[in-house]
Amino acid sequence: MVKNKRELILAFETSCDETSVAVIEDGHRILSNIIATQIKSHQRFGGVVPEVASRHHVEQILHCTQLALTEADVTYSDLTAVAVTYGPGLVGSLLIGISAAKTISFAHQLPLIPVNHLAGHIYAAQLVTPLSYPFMALVVSGGHTELVYVSAPNTYQLLGETRDDAAGEAYDKIGRVLGINYPAGKAVDQLAHEGQDTFNFPRAMLAEDNLDFSFSGLKSAFINTVHHADQLGETLNRADLAASFQASVCDVLVEKTQRALAAHPVQQLVVAGGVAANQGLRERLTAVLANDQNETELIVPPLRLCGDNAAMIGAAASVQLATKQPFADLNLNADPSLDLV
């Protein structure tokens, strides 16, 4: 009896400041997941500089590709398809990954699968456990905060989204005020666990009958509190500031998620994106769902799969392959403002 050939997808992720190439087997097994970070190059600027990011991708993409293939112990002839993030993200960065994927697709006559970066974050959960439809996804990252109802493979309903700053973006902005280098999320989270919620910052939009978010007012309240204290010559407790900020963010995210789950009962809640690594958010959601009578399972990828990585793109590509979504051709272009829905 002849065994079925393995499904092997070579995936590229270059939407921002990580150059990542992975090989994914059968949609859920990571054979390799190479990530070349650029954090140190951007720290001195306090954020990602698009031109610098693009140049780093050019320098790293071929090396990462070879490492991914070597670590997975596969060759181009073993591959089933090539997948690549085509948006959203920085246009210059996206184009580097797209160019590499198109070149390999053409040279080795492999199908080219275009993947939405946000879908990749959601399907990172598939690398942890099988997903049961329908499920809910809370996508929280530096550029996005969204509640998404996933009724079937590649079928998304946007229930709510941020109207201004994303959660991760707010962390980075208040991190500067606290004297924390970019990216600030992890350090703010750690500092928050050392303090108490003594400042009672605003919980935006909780009184409104919708599932949208807003973090701009919280950011402004935080900055104004610190600046006012500076003018009076007062020194505020940094840990309490961080704890108060994080409590506000988590209160809003958790409350809105609970409302979404009440309106759309599901068996699984996936937390996706860079802010999914936040320990405070993980703790709050774990506690809330432990008391949930619907027994919703919380799925949070390990830290290495919360940030941008190519393994998640390979997982999402496998779902697209299984549901016979259209392949891309060599005219595939970057879409920096691509929406999930």
Side-chain angles (χ1 to χ4, degrees):
M1 181 177 178
V2 179
K3 293 184 179 180
N4 292 329
K5 183 180 179 181
R6 296 184 299 168
E7 176 193 283
L8 296 172
I9 295 178
L10 178 67
F12 292 86
E13 159 57 34
T14 61
S15 64
C16 191
D17 60 340
E18 266 85 30
T19 308
S20 184
V21 186
V23 177
I24 301 301
E25 180 180 7
D26 298 332
H28 65 271
R29 184 182 175 204
I30 302 174
L31 299 187
S32 62
N33 189 25
I34 307 302
I35 303 172
T37 184
Q38 305 175 11
I39 288 177
K40 291 184 178 180
S41 294
H42 298 283
Q43 276 182 336
R44 56 183 169 148
F45 303 109
V48 177
V49 179
E51 175 64 19
V52 174
S54 298
R55 289 178 180 273
H56 277 296
H57 287 310
V58 171
E59 295 169 356
Q60 294 291 337
I61 193 75
L62 293 179
H63 181 57
C64 288
T65 301
Q66 191 56 56
L67 282 177
L69 292 170
T70 301
E71 186 174 305
D73 194 23
V74 300
T75 65
Y76 289 114
S77 62
D78 297 318
L79 298 175
T80 305
V82 180
V84 63
T85 302
Y86 75 107
L90 303 175
V91 62
S93 294
L94 290 166
L95 286 171
I96 306 305
I98 291 172
S99 296
K102 288 199 293 189
T103 300
I104 293 172
S105 171
F106 176 76
H108 299 279
Q109 298 182 325
L110 292 166
L112 179 62
I113 304 175
V115 177
N116 185 304
H117 179 75
L118 300 181
H121 274 307
I122 291 173
Y123 279 106
Q126 184 173 279
L127 300 169
V128 177
T129 189
L131 296 174
S132 301
Y133 297 92
F135 66 86
M136 188 78 66
L138 171 63
V139 182
V140 275
S141 67
H144 299 85
T145 304
E146 300 178 355
L147 276 166
V148 182
Y149 181 72
V150 187
S151 57
N154 298 309
T155 305
Y156 311 100
Q157 179 184 353
L158 184 62
L159 302 179
E161 62 183 334
T162 184
R163 296 185 180 180
D164 40 59
D165 289 355
E169 182 181 5
Y171 269 92
D172 285 333
K173 288 181 177 178
I174 69 101
R176 295 173 195 161
V177 179
L178 290 172
I180 297 173
N181 288 334
Y182 169 88
K186 181 179 179 180
V188 172
D189 182 24
Q190 292 173 337
L191 187 61
H193 280 77
E194 301 173 10
Q196 301 294 325
D197 178 13
T198 60
F199 290 93
N200 193 30
F201 290 128
R203 272 65 169 166
M205 298 186 68
L206 281 186
E208 298 188 21
D209 186 22
N210 58 53
L211 297 175
D212 287 342
F213 305 92
S214 172
F215 297 104
S216 180
L218 167 61
K219 173 202 66 181
S220 297
F222 183 99
I223 294 173
N224 290 338
T225 296
V226 175
H227 285 177
H228 180 67
D230 288 343
Q231 291 172 348
L232 297 177
E234 297 178 355
T235 300
L236 302 179
N237 186 292
R238 293 173 71 252
D240 288 347
L241 282 168
S244 300
F245 171 81
Q246 180 148 296
S248 177
V249 172
C250 290
D251 281 351
V252 173
L253 290 175
V254 171
E255 173 64 25
K256 294 279 185 170
T257 301
Q258 285 184 281
R259 294 181 192 178
L261 290 172
H264 305 271
V266 293
Q267 294 181 354
Q268 295 174 323
L269 169 65
V270 170
V271 185
V275 183
N278 183 280
Q279 191 61 34
L281 179 59
R282 288 175 177 237
E283 291 170 354
R284 287 288 304 280
L285 285 172
T286 299
V288 165
L289 292 185
N291 297 320
D292 182 6
Q293 295 181 351
N294 294 324
E295 297 184 351
T296 305
E297 178 189 7
L298 177 64
I299 304 174
V300 187
L303 298 183
R304 62 190 174 87
L305 296 178
C306 289
D308 294 348
N309 67 92
M312 70 184 193
I313 302 304
S318 178
V319 175
Q320 292 181 213
L321 190 62
T323 54
K324 302 187 186 313
Q325 299 297 305
F327 295 130
D329 58 26
L330 296 183
N331 292 317
L332 178 65
N333 201 356
D335 189 345
S337 301
L338 181 66
D339 291 324
L340 184 62
V341 179

